Amino acid sequence: MGKEAIETTPRNSVSADSETQRQKIQAEDVDRAEDVHVDGDQSKFSAILSILRKLVGVADVIDLRLSLPSQLLDPIPNLEYWNYMESPEHFVAIPESDDEIERMLAVLAWWFSKMLKHTGKVHKPFNSILGEQFFCRWEVPGSASGGAGDCSRREDTASSSITNVSLGTDEAGDKLQVEYITEQVSHHPPVSAFVYRCKQRGIEAVGMDHIKAKFTGLSATVATGTECKGIFVRLAQRDNETYRCTHPVGSIVGWLRGSLKVQMIESSYIVCAKTGLAAIIEFKEERWFSKDKGNVTGKVFRYDESAYGDQIASWRLKDIPKLCKVVATFGGNWDQRVNVQRSEQAERLLIDMAALKIADKVVKPLEEQGEKESRRVWNPVAAKMHQGKYGEASRIKRGIEEAQRALAAERKERGEEFVPALFKPSYSATGQPELLPSAPINL
């Protein structure tokens, strides 16, 4: 090869060290932008856009953990905002049917319902601090009607929307309780562990939240990071059936028009090895100048786990082998109405997103919360934001962040690793966190 060094880095690229340094400088520039004047939504939009333009080409904007001015944030903690129980009624209905295909369709309906937050305004919540926790529950009203998976009943009502989905009660006739327990377990990269559970129905959903984002100048793309393996829904009363549900990729568009909107792109899948059923959900990228009648389509099919279990993640609808029997097809608009049709049955409504309203949470009052709980951490900032005192809010926010940096420096000096208070540390490999038996849960 000779004595002269050979340059292996492309001319239009930079070394890993210099790229890291460039991104650090960009993040510091944004961090210094605390005193931004914002007057209304349009001014807020312009300020965010001016910051993001400095970050075009950065591989993962989220991992920079930018300290945005309070004027550019929404007064809600990340762990509280980023939950999947917009419609807990759909969650508790999943185990009801004795028909395994109906259970898969119930999972699918809940999967769509969790995207309700993305049908409206785009929000930027507070970044979570390391060790931050959030606890809440939802009370689901009971119903005397049959199970949500009752095939004949659903065929008559043609709906699994919030207004028609069967809820049921526990044996005592009380309201069903859906609990949400989550903790920020990593800061770089930002990762949180979560558990949702309804003990009366023997259903839980666990997983790791880790997202990454990239801004191109025309759109911001948000996808899952490496620590996120999906949401794992387990049905204890159905022989521990487990459904692995992956997330779609979100594209925030409308930067040129000044009106932001979330579009879902690419594809996702749901698989259940025990029943041998899988679903592939494929999104169509919308064009603002077109009039597409539908932006989502998909199929539910039977598969051989030993033959195809490790391949489905890479499949699109066209890749489903002919040996895999399709048992249902679905399609429509993910942010409006999605219809489903089982083999040799009439088409019916799977979910009506337009009819849903985000369910109210039950959260302990501030005086009963621990010092690491989200609302307790961020209430001083949120309170000032609600009063329009953004300068004070930004100063309080900086104080919280600087205190966290000091704690991180102390841990580093002592050679200590952060230890989660709620979850066992063995979650990374499977993406399925487990609560510690002694976890201090404040519900």
Side-chain angles (χ1 to χ4, degrees):
M1 294 175 62
K3 295 182 180 180
E4 295 183 1
I6 297 177
E7 182 181 353
T8 57
T9 304
R11 292 182 184 273
N12 62 349
S13 183
V14 291
S15 68
D17 290 342
S18 61
E19 173 65 11
T20 300
Q21 182 64 21
R22 182 179 72 85
Q23 293 186 12
K24 182 179 178 182
I25 292 171
Q26 289 173 308
E28 289 172 350
D29 285 343
V30 174
D31 279 347
R32 288 194 290 269
E34 285 285 358
D35 298 320
V36 175
H37 177 69
V38 175
D39 183 16
D41 286 343
Q42 189 62 33
S43 180
K44 179 177 179 179
F45 165 81
S46 299
I48 292 174
L49 183 57
S50 67
I51 289 173
L52 286 175
R53 279 173 174 162
K54 298 178 183 179
L55 303 173
V56 171
V58 174
D60 185 6
V61 175
I62 299 292
D63 197 34
L64 293 180
R65 303 298 282 173
L66 300 177
S67 179
L68 292 175
S70 61
Q71 297 98 314
L72 305 184
L73 301 173
D74 292 283
I76 184 171
N78 185 65
L79 295 182
E80 178 174 356
Y81 172 75
W82 206 260
N83 79 80
Y84 305 123
M85 286 296 148
E86 273 82 351
S87 180
E89 289 89 347
H90 282 91
F91 182 68
V92 300
I94 290 173
E96 283 191 354
S97 179
D98 291 332
D99 183 333
E100 60 188 21
I101 297 176
E102 288 298 323
R103 292 198 297 275
M104 170 60 86
L105 294 178
V107 173
L108 189 62
W110 166 77
W111 186 90
F112 277 110
S113 77
K114 72 182 178 60
M115 296 192 291
L116 183 61
K117 66 167 70 66
H118 301 308
T119 61
K121 179 183 175 183
V122 176
H123 292 276
K124 175 61 183 82
F126 301 126
N127 286 340
S128 304
I129 65 172
L130 186 61
E132 184 177 325
Q133 305 164 2
F134 183 71
F135 308 101
C136 78
R137 58 187 172 86
W138 292 267
E139 294 184 347
V140 181
S143 170
S145 61
D150 186 325
C151 184
S152 59
R153 186 184 64 81
R154 286 179 59 131
E155 215 171 292
D156 291 337
T157 61
S159 176
S160 64
S161 72
I162 193 171
T163 55
N164 288 296
V165 68
S166 170
L167 307 178
T169 59
D170 65 2
E171 292 181 358
D174 298 328
K175 291 181 178 179
L176 298 171
Q177 305 287 326
V178 178
E179 300 174 349
Y180 174 37
I181 302 158
T182 184
E183 179 180 17
Q184 191 76 13
V185 295
S186 172
H187 192 65
H188 285 292
V191 179
S192 60
F194 62 81
V195 171
Y196 300 89
R197 61 188 183 187
C198 177
K199 294 179 180 178
Q200 296 115 307
R201 287 291 174 88
I203 179 175
E204 70 171 10
V206 304
M208 311 294 297
D209 273 331
H210 175 204
I211 62 173
K212 58 183 181 180
K214 187 173 183 178
F215 185 66
T216 66
L218 295 177
S219 68
T221 301
V222 182
T224 54
T226 55
E227 295 298 317
C228 176
K229 309 293 193 298
I231 306 174
F232 297 83
V233 179
R234 284 194 285 267
L235 311 182
Q237 297 175 6
R238 297 292 177 182
D239 196 23
N240 286 318
E241 281 179 7
T242 301
Y243 297 79
R244 181 185 181 186
C245 313
T246 64
H247 297 280
V249 175
S251 178
I252 303 174
V253 299
W255 298 92
L256 295 179
R257 300 192 303 278
S259 177
L260 299 184
K261 174 186 177 182
V262 177
Q263 292 183 358
M264 298 302 169
I265 58 176
E266 302 186 17
S267 63
S268 302
Y269 65 90
I270 301 172
V271 293
C272 178
K274 188 170 288 290
T275 63
L277 286 169
I280 291 180
I281 309 108
E282 200 164 291
F283 294 93
K284 182 190 299 183
E285 191 165 356
E286 301 169 65
R287 305 295 181 184
W288 68 271
F289 51 82
S290 67
K291 296 182 179 180
D292 293 328
K293 293 183 178 180
N295 56 27
V296 66
T297 185
K299 295 179 180 180
V300 178
F301 56 93
R302 296 194 180 277
Y303 75 102
D304 184 337
E305 174 68 20
S306 61
Y308 300 118
D310 59 349
Q311 299 178 35
I312 293 177
S314 63
W315 285 358
R316 302 292 294 256
L317 290 175
K318 64 180 178 61
D319 300 317
I320 299 174
K322 292 182 179 180
L323 292 175
C324 297
K325 181 182 178 182
V326 174
V327 296
T329 58
F330 55 90
N333 292 80
W334 70 265
D335 52 349
Q336 297 176 37
R337 293 163 64 94
V338 180
N339 293 321
V340 64
Q341 183 171 17
R342 289 186 58 171
S343 301
E344 301 179 357
Q345 291 188 16
E347 183 179 82
R348 68 178 196 250
L349 186 66
L350 178 68
I351 188 167
D352 183 356
M353 296 288 283
L356 299 183
K357 293 182 180 180
I358 293 179
D360 293 329
K361 309 179 195 73
V362 179
V363 185
K364 287 281 186 74
L366 285 177
E367 59 270 20
E368 296 180 25
Q369 294 184 20
E371 61 180 14
K372 282 294 187 77
E373 292 191 48
S374 294
R375 291 190 179 182
R376 179 86 174 268
V377 171
W378 295 109
N379 182 65
V381 182
K384 294 298 182 184
M385 291 174 66
H386 285 301
Q387 296 168 15
K389 298 178 180 179
Y390 291 104
E392 292 182 41
S394 292
R395 284 190 289 275
I396 296 170
K397 177 175 170 288
R398 279 199 300 268
I400 294 171
E401 293 164 348
E402 289 168 1
Q404 290 301 305
R405 293 187 187 103
L407 288 173
E410 291 174 10
R411 283 194 300 270
K412 185 176 181 180
E413 186 176 345
R414 294 193 300 264
E416 296 178 358
E417 296 288 336
F418 170 76
V419 179
L422 304 179
F423 293 92
K424 296 178 181 179
S426 57
Y427 47 74
S428 187
T430 65
Q432 301 181 58
E434 292 183 61
L435 285 169
L436 291 164
S438 58
I441 297 170
N442 187 23
L443 287 165

